[in-house]
Amino acid sequence: MAGVSHAVRVLIVDDDPLVRAGLSLMLDGANGIAVVAEAADGDEVPAAIDAHAPQIVLMDLRMPRLDGITAIHRLRRRQAPPEVIVLTTFDTDENVLRALRAGASGFLLKDTPPAQIVDAVRRVAAGDPILSPAITRRLMEKVATESGAYEQARQALAGLSPREHDVVLAIAQGLTNAEIAAELLMSVGTVKAHITHILTKLSLGNRTQIALLAHDAGLA
């Protein structure tokens, strides 16, 4: 493992030992990232988090005892949970939506180039969600056609201030905090404060869920 004092701490969860070994080798070789633990199933995640305090969890979806989506649901009920990036071979629309609605901050396929996986870990650790472009296009098309979600999303967003509404739109467009700050002429700290207030008002876990709600409402 790399030095972990100032590195992004990562937990790898996958039932395939070869996948875990490959990811660990790749990420531990990246500057500023340290793999602090591995788990072979979703039911091992709570103990690994308690023992190693990761900031990022790379989570497979299909595992023999506890699947990744259920594990994400359980994680989001913890106080100050780590961010989750789903890394899987299964990219069906249903899997993507279920994972993101459960609280995942990103969704990548296992054939994603190593440099992009490393970049995703760094971006999510910095507070920016990550989705592969192909998944994003399909996801937004599916969300736009879901029945019943439109009015619920509109009602949920109605309680936001105009400035918070602007931030929601920017998040839905995939902008980073720095890009939102430049677009809306505010500091990055102010952007982060707005996002915190939005998450609290909407009872959401992360900014990816904000983006999904905005798309449900037809705003992006």
Side-chain angles (χ1 to χ4, degrees):
M1 295 182 186
V4 299
S5 57
H6 300 293
V8 177
R9 301 169 63 86
V10 177
L11 164 65
I12 297 171
V13 185
D14 197 294
D15 62 333
D16 187 334
L18 290 178
V19 170
R20 294 199 307 273
L23 288 171
S24 183
L25 183 65
M26 176 185 70
L27 291 171
D28 256 343
N31 186 42
I33 298 176
V35 176
V36 296
E38 298 177 12
D41 201 275
D43 62 1
E44 299 175 9
V45 171
I49 289 174
D50 290 339
H52 302 284
Q55 297 160 268
I56 302 293
V57 178
L58 276 180
M59 182 86 73
D60 192 14
L61 286 186
R62 294 195 180 179
M63 292 175 284
R65 295 189 301 274
L66 188 73
D67 67 89
I69 291 174
T70 302
I72 295 169
H73 274 295
R74 294 183 180 181
L75 265 183
R76 300 313 302 181
R77 293 199 291 264
R78 295 173 65 99
Q79 227 177 4
E83 300 295 338
V84 177
I85 301 172
V86 171
L87 187 63
T88 184
T89 55
F90 303 98
D91 67 337
T92 65
D93 295 336
E94 181 183 3
N95 279 335
V96 177
L97 278 173
R98 288 179 64 208
L100 296 178
R101 293 197 189 285
S105 294
F107 196 110
L108 296 173
L109 301 181
K110 286 183 178 176
D111 61 1
T112 300
Q116 291 183 26
I117 295 176
V118 170
D119 181 62
V121 169
R122 290 177 175 146
R123 285 185 57 183
V124 170
D128 294 323
I130 181 73
L131 291 172
S132 66
I135 287 177
T136 302
R137 287 193 298 272
R138 285 171 37 211
L139 173 65
M140 294 313 135
E141 289 171 1
K142 183 172 179 63
V143 168
T145 61
E146 285 190 342
S147 60
Y150 176 80
E151 285 302 328
Q152 292 178 10
R154 285 277 181 171
Q155 291 173 13
L157 294 173
L160 300 181
S161 71
R163 206 55 169 160
E164 289 168 344
H165 198 270
D166 291 339
V167 172
V168 166
L169 287 176
I171 290 173
Q173 292 164 7
L175 301 186
T176 66
N177 287 346
E179 289 168 341
I180 294 171
E183 179 78 15
L184 300 181
L185 303 178
M186 60 177 69
S187 70
V188 172
T190 300
V191 172
K192 291 180 178 179
H194 278 308
I195 292 173
T196 298
H197 293 153
I198 291 165
L199 291 171
T200 300
K201 285 185 177 182
L202 300 178
S203 298
L204 298 177
N206 59 42
R207 60 190 288 149
T208 304
Q209 292 176 323
I210 294 175
L212 284 175
L213 193 67
H215 284 280
D216 280 346
L219 301 182

